[in-house]
Amino acid sequence: MATSPEPAHTDQIPPTRFGGFEVDLQSGDLSKNGTKNRLQGQPLQLLELLLQHPGQVVTREHIQQRLWPDGTVVEFEHSVNAAVKRLREALGDGADKPTFIETIPRRGYRFIAHVENGALSPSVAAQAHAAPVLPSGPTVELWNKRRVVVTAGVAAFLIVAALATWRVVFARPALTGTDVILLASFVNKTGDPIFDKSLDKALEVKLTESPFLSLLPEADVRRTMGTMRHDPHEPVTQELGIEICKRDGLKAVVVPQIVAFGDKYLITLEAIDARNQKSIALTEAEAETKDKVIAALGKAGSQLRRRLGESLGSLEKYDAPLDLATTSSLEALQAYRTGQTLYRSGKRQESIPFFERAIELDPQFCSAYSMLGSAYHSVGDDQASRKNVAKAFEMKDRRLTQEENFQTSAFYHSAITRNLEKETAVLVLYKQAYPRSAFAHNLLGIVYAQLGRIDEALQEFYWAMDDSPAPSAQHYGNASQTLMILGRFEEAKKLLEQWRQKGSPTPLQIRVRYRIAFFENDAATMERITRETPSNDTMWLDTQKQFAFARGDFSKLRSLSETLVKQQSEAKRMDNVASELAWHAWFESYAGNSALVPKLCRQAEEASQDSAWLAPCALALAVAGDVTQAEALAERNERLLPEDTLNQKTNLPLLRSVIERTRGNRAKAVELLASLSEYEENCWQIPYHRAKAYLAVGENDKAAAELEKLLSHRGWLNREMFAPLAELDLARTYAAQGDRDESRKAYDDFFTTWKDAGPDIPILRQAKAEYKKLTATASVAASASGKKQ
């Protein structure tokens, strides 16, 4: 079958007139009777093609080649029909009684109106459309000709159908499983400001719902714009998007646009290859009203995913209706988008009112509840965080995409049930469903670290670092902390330095670097970090409190604790107040200040009845000798936190071991800690209390081994707090073994560590008395040995 000649470039075609219309094929302006509309995308390309061949049949295959030159479209029969339908609607034409576009069954379309200044003269168009004069009745010759024509037509149809099927089945995907794309800002040509910055997030949700696609995160887009000396908050245009793609090695940019035609809205999504700036996929969807724009955007997004290469099976599985997965309220979406922009830029507190406004506008906006829970969590308001996370979890199965469902479920088990086994199961499924998700790997790494599976955690963080669409501060921070726990300080410092060359250090990275400097006795680095860190930062104050205990500086520790209580009280975060008071009681108990412990724990319980925040009080009371109150808290924790993995598998056995040891049931105390080895790399108290239990039953060698293990693992989280306690108990263990020399060395290490400690600390006074007795006994023994000689 002969193909139509290639048309001339648009630049050579003057404005064209037909049937009262005038169209500028360069700008897409379509005018009639003084009313101007804008054609774009496929309808404009189709009109140009038809006007270049007036009166001629333009085949469906020719239309496909023009509209999808790279063969990326599948199901093109439906796509061609949709393009023709949209063009007819723009012209006010009908298929039954066409004025402009005539359907030629099984072949294509013909432009039948009188064309001026077109590619062909009006006479050609008229001749091409003139009806032939048929004979009054069929003749033998005519029947034979018809038979030949029909046979040829059937053969041609079968060939075309075969070619169409081949193109559908074997169409080359526009993207591969390793490509990363960029989402440009929505181009709003409606004149309605409600569409400004409201549709970008919805489209991001639809595209990231796909396990096949990988989008460059918005934070990384903004960071790249900063390196290009652009305002990070300016819209990402097509031209800017292509430049970002080239800088970051991305395959394509998706350019979205919305245009109003009367009361209707047309959404266009076009993927453009960043290397040659050619279109590789284009979809359109029409919304009858403003309220249906988000639903139409969801349909266009699904079509784009298919044309970019996602399988039908994947689309069937991961294709939630967008107006349900987000919201049908444009105002709510606009508030949500603003909140998320603030959240991602680090302004977590400022983002909260916008998420709350989004929920006020649409109480069924599940994603807004989830983000509000995350925002409250990041600013330390855990009570509000858990409330909103629970609400998101309640409605997740009908109001979220599959990926957001995984994320919300994981966060729910992390913040509400604290069931790490269930969280792990969710994240394993998440990783399987979205194998390219660095977020899934990072979350799984965090859970593995909590469970003491440190090597596995490191592998997940490494994967997230290596395969993320762009470098992430969180991945670098988590990996460096894990390396620190493993004692691989040089590797951890190298990662932190690599990130410092990419961006600003995060609070986690700062604390990791400070701890490594402490372990390496690098006073200069510790002083520099202290100067550079805001003195009122909550997490930094908490870190400094831990190091005050490590130095025995209880005056500083108490001052810091009072500051933290005041901060949280002023913010009306009473759960956090309770937690701080409970941890203060914990520190005092280990220092031997038993009289302060009940008072602090009563204050903590007055601040919050939530037993989760009172857990440190239970251990503090047990260490202080108040086993009755400690046991009551233990029973309440077990009853109220039945799924909390670490509470059930580490905290409660540890607490009950201390209670039994205090009661004199020493063998039971040892037995309760026997099965906790798998958690000890994340729970530094286990080896310490196991050593205390061994020491109580006289198994001094085992006690010494546990204490030496704790002291040798310098990178264990919060190990600095137990190091002085371990040094003291190691001195006592050596003394019990009769090894006075090693005992004196261990005492000296303890006194050096606590050289600036206040003299009124009970365990310090006791240690000095023990040391004095040890040295006196050694002097007597040495004197007696000399006399014998």
Side-chain angles (χ1 to χ4, degrees):
M1 183 168 55
T3 59
S4 302
E6 284 301 315
H9 289 292
T10 303
D11 294 342
Q12 301 172 355
I13 301 176
T16 304
R17 300 179 181 84
F18 56 88
F21 281 100
E22 180 175 292
V23 62
D24 185 335
L25 294 173
Q26 293 177 310
S27 66
D29 289 334
L30 180 67
S31 305
K32 184 176 183 180
N33 299 327
T35 300
K36 182 182 292 186
N37 282 320
R38 174 70 59 84
L39 281 179
Q40 60 180 9
Q42 292 174 350
L44 177 60
Q45 292 175 282
L46 178 59
L47 178 59
E48 178 183 6
L49 179 61
L50 291 170
L51 290 175
Q52 289 165 347
H53 304 288
Q56 299 180 22
V57 176
V58 178
T59 66
R60 298 175 68 83
E61 288 69 36
H62 194 183
I63 293 171
Q64 184 200 8
Q65 292 169 8
R66 168 62 72 87
L67 270 56
W68 299 282
D70 295 330
T72 56
V73 68
V74 294
E75 302 172 345
F76 83 91
E77 291 290 333
H78 171 76
S79 301
V80 169
N81 291 343
V84 172
K85 178 176 179 290
R86 207 167 305 283
L87 177 57
R88 278 176 168 155
E89 289 175 352
L91 298 175
D93 201 15
D96 296 335
K97 296 181 180 180
T99 302
F100 302 107
I101 304 171
E102 179 187 33
T103 301
I104 309 301
R106 299 181 180 178
R107 293 190 62 196
Y109 302 91
R110 177 165 50 200
F111 199 84
I112 58 177
H114 181 85
V115 179
E116 298 178 12
N117 300 324
L120 295 176
S121 65
S123 60
V124 174
Q127 291 173 14
H129 187 54
V133 179
L134 299 178
S136 57
T139 63
V140 174
E141 182 180 2
L142 181 58
W143 277 116
N144 289 335
K145 287 183 179 180
R146 285 182 176 177
R147 186 179 296 111
V148 172
V149 170
V150 169
T151 302
V154 170
F157 173 76
L158 292 175
I159 292 171
V160 170
L163 286 172
T165 302
W166 184 88
R167 283 173 174 166
V168 169
V169 176
F170 298 103
R172 177 172 54 85
L175 299 179
T176 68
T178 59
D179 290 324
V180 178
I181 62 176
L182 171 70
L183 181 58
S185 301
F186 238 98
V187 179
N188 178 15
K189 292 190 174 182
T190 66
D192 189 338
I194 192 62
F195 295 110
D196 293 335
K197 298 183 179 180
S198 62
L199 298 180
D200 300 82
K201 177 56 189 176
L203 181 56
E204 179 188 328
V205 168
K206 173 51 63 176
L207 297 184
T208 55
E209 180 186 19
S210 165
F212 172 76
L213 295 181
S214 182
L215 262 65
L216 185 68
E218 184 182 6
D220 300 301
V221 175
R222 304 301 171 186
R223 185 164 48 248
T224 300
M225 289 172 65
T227 64
M228 297 166 61
R229 298 185 178 180
H230 279 267
D231 180 353
H233 302 292
E234 71 177 86
V236 179
T237 63
Q238 176 177 323
E239 293 74 19
L240 180 56
I242 288 171
E243 183 61 29
I244 293 172
C245 288
K246 290 178 179 178
R247 282 176 175 258
D248 289 349
L250 311 185
K251 175 65 180 291
V253 57
V254 173
V255 181
Q257 180 173 277
I258 182 168
V259 178
F261 288 97
D263 294 333
K264 298 181 180 180
Y265 297 88
L266 178 66
I267 295 169
T268 303
L269 307 178
E270 184 172 19
I272 298 171
D273 192 315
R275 296 166 300 182
N276 54 30
Q277 301 186 30
K278 290 184 177 180
S279 176
I280 56 176
L282 187 145
T283 63
E284 294 177 332
E286 184 179 290
E288 296 291 330
T289 64
K290 184 184 293 186
D291 292 341
K292 296 181 180 180
V293 164
I294 296 174
L297 175 60
K299 294 177 182 178
S302 299
Q303 294 170 6
L304 183 69
R305 284 164 49 182
R306 182 71 179 106
R307 291 176 184 175
L308 288 173
E310 185 172 356
S311 68
L312 283 172
S314 177
L315 270 171
E316 289 172 0
K317 190 174 182 181
Y318 306 108
D319 193 22
L322 188 56
D323 53 334
L324 292 181
T326 56
T327 174
S328 59
S329 168
L330 288 165
E331 291 82 359
L333 195 60
Q334 195 171 49
Y336 179 81
R337 168 67 174 167
T338 303
Q340 194 163 59
T341 300
L342 291 167
Y343 182 94
R344 287 174 171 176
S345 66
K347 298 178 180 179
R348 306 297 168 81
Q349 185 68 51
E350 293 87 340
S351 72
I352 289 173
F354 291 95
F355 294 133
E356 290 177 333
R357 175 60 178 160
I359 291 168
E360 180 184 343
L361 290 165
D362 182 1
Q364 299 300 310
F365 197 169
C366 187
S367 298
Y369 284 106
S370 184
M371 284 303 304
L372 185 58
S374 297
Y376 273 125
H377 176 75
S378 65
V379 300
D381 192 340
D382 292 292
Q383 186 173 11
S385 174
R386 294 197 307 278
K387 173 185 173 183
N388 286 285
V389 171
K391 184 66 176 179
F393 184 79
E394 176 188 322
M395 60 176 65
K396 65 181 177 60
D397 291 332
R398 60 186 185 278
R399 305 292 303 190
L400 289 177
T401 66
Q402 185 61 60
E403 183 172 26
E404 288 182 314
N405 195 316
F406 281 130
Q407 293 172 359
T408 299
S409 298
F411 194 16
Y412 176 79
H413 290 304
S414 173
I416 307 296
T417 69
R418 298 190 175 104
N419 188 320
L420 299 184
E421 286 85 359
K422 286 185 177 179
E423 185 181 1
T424 301
V426 168
L427 292 173
V428 168
L429 291 174
Y430 180 10
K431 193 172 75 167
Q432 291 173 352
Y434 292 85
R436 301 180 67 188
S437 173
F439 191 70
H441 284 271
N442 184 63
L443 289 180
L444 189 57
I446 293 171
V447 179
Y448 282 157
Q450 290 177 297
L451 290 170
R453 297 162 63 175
I454 306 300
D455 289 318
E456 292 175 86
L458 183 60
Q459 292 309 308
E460 296 296 337
F461 295 141
Y462 273 154
W463 192 100
M465 285 174 54
D466 295 340
D467 293 87
S468 177
S472 166
Q474 188 178 35
H475 304 158
Y476 276 78
N478 289 340
S480 62
Q481 179 170 264
T482 308
L483 287 167
M484 180 191 71
I485 293 172
L486 294 170
R488 294 157 61 176
F489 296 158
E490 291 303 320
E491 293 174 71
K493 289 191 293 185
K494 183 178 179 181
L495 273 188
L496 293 172
E497 178 59 25
Q498 287 176 358
W499 177 259
R500 194 182 66 81
Q501 295 175 5
K502 300 176 186 293
S504 301
T506 65
L508 171 63
Q509 292 177 342
I510 291 169
R511 294 196 300 275
V512 170
R513 187 64 188 89
Y514 187 86
R515 280 199 159 89
I516 293 174
F518 175 83
F519 295 139
E520 295 184 330
N521 297 315
D522 183 357
T525 297
M526 294 175 68
E527 291 173 4
R528 175 182 60 78
I529 293 173
T530 301
R531 286 195 309 271
E532 295 173 353
T533 305
S535 59
N536 62 345
D537 179 83
T538 299
M539 295 305 296
W540 179 249
L541 288 170
D542 189 66
T543 300
Q544 289 304 302
K545 186 181 63 178
Q546 295 172 20
F547 281 96
F549 181 88
R551 297 188 301 270
D553 188 351
F554 269 73
S555 175
K556 181 67 175 286
L557 184 150
R558 290 163 185 163
S559 174
L560 289 166
S561 183
E562 288 175 5
T563 300
L564 286 165
V565 168
K566 183 179 179 181
Q567 275 188 354
Q568 300 306 315
S569 296
E570 290 174 349
K572 301 188 183 308
R573 297 170 187 157
M574 301 315 294
D575 282 350
N576 295 11
V577 170
S579 177
E580 177 52 42
L581 290 166
W583 277 109
H584 186 182
W586 184 93
F587 284 116
E588 298 288 359
S589 72
Y590 279 101
N593 292 311
S594 302
L596 289 175
V597 172
K599 176 184 176 183
L600 289 165
C601 287
R602 281 195 301 272
Q603 292 175 349
E605 194 161 7
E606 289 170 2
S608 174
Q609 294 295 312
D610 191 331
S611 62
W613 307 112
L614 303 176
C617 270
L619 190 58
L621 289 163
V623 170
D626 190 346
V627 295
T628 302
Q629 287 298 315
E631 196 163 51
L633 276 177
E635 290 174 357
R636 190 165 77 170
N637 275 358
E638 185 172 27
R639 184 177 67 256
L640 297 178
L641 301 171
E643 292 190 62
D644 188 322
T645 299
L646 295 182
N647 186 61
Q648 296 292 332
K649 295 191 175 181
T650 63
N651 297 342
L652 287 174
L654 183 64
L655 172 59
R656 288 184 171 128
S657 174
V658 176
I659 290 173
E660 294 300 332
R661 175 159 49 85
T662 304
R663 284 175 169 165
N665 300 326
R666 298 167 183 173
K668 182 67 173 177
V670 172
E671 179 186 338
L672 284 165
L673 297 177
S675 61
L676 302 186
S677 298
E678 64 178 298
Y679 298 103
E680 65 185 28
E681 287 198 51
N682 190 51
C683 186
W684 20 266
Q685 300 185 71
I686 293 172
Y688 175 75
H689 283 290
R690 189 185 289 127
K692 299 281 280 188
Y694 282 139
L695 190 59
V697 296
E699 296 189 47
N700 300 323
D701 290 344
K702 290 183 178 179
E706 292 293 331
L707 294 167
E708 288 169 350
K709 177 171 62 178
L710 193 154
L711 290 169
S712 65
H713 283 69
R714 294 187 298 160
W716 273 358
L717 282 179
N718 304 319
R719 174 262 190 195
E720 63 275 5
M721 293 191 294
F722 272 87
L725 300 176
E727 289 168 346
L728 177 56
D729 280 313
L730 191 59
R732 293 166 174 166
T733 302
Y734 286 140
Q737 291 175 321
D739 192 339
R740 293 188 182 91
D741 290 338
E742 289 298 322
S743 180
R744 281 200 304 271
K745 290 178 183 177
Y747 274 116
D748 288 339
D749 288 339
F750 171 67
F751 294 138
T752 300
T753 301
W754 271 23
K755 64 182 185 297
D756 298 322
D760 60 334
I761 301 175
I763 63 169
L764 180 58
R765 292 201 309 268
Q766 184 181 353
K768 288 179 177 178
E770 292 166 358
Y771 184 76
K772 184 177 179 180
K773 182 178 179 180
L774 177 70
T775 53
T777 303
S779 298
V780 171
S783 176
S785 177
K787 288 179 181 179
K788 287 180 181 180
Q789 292 178 357

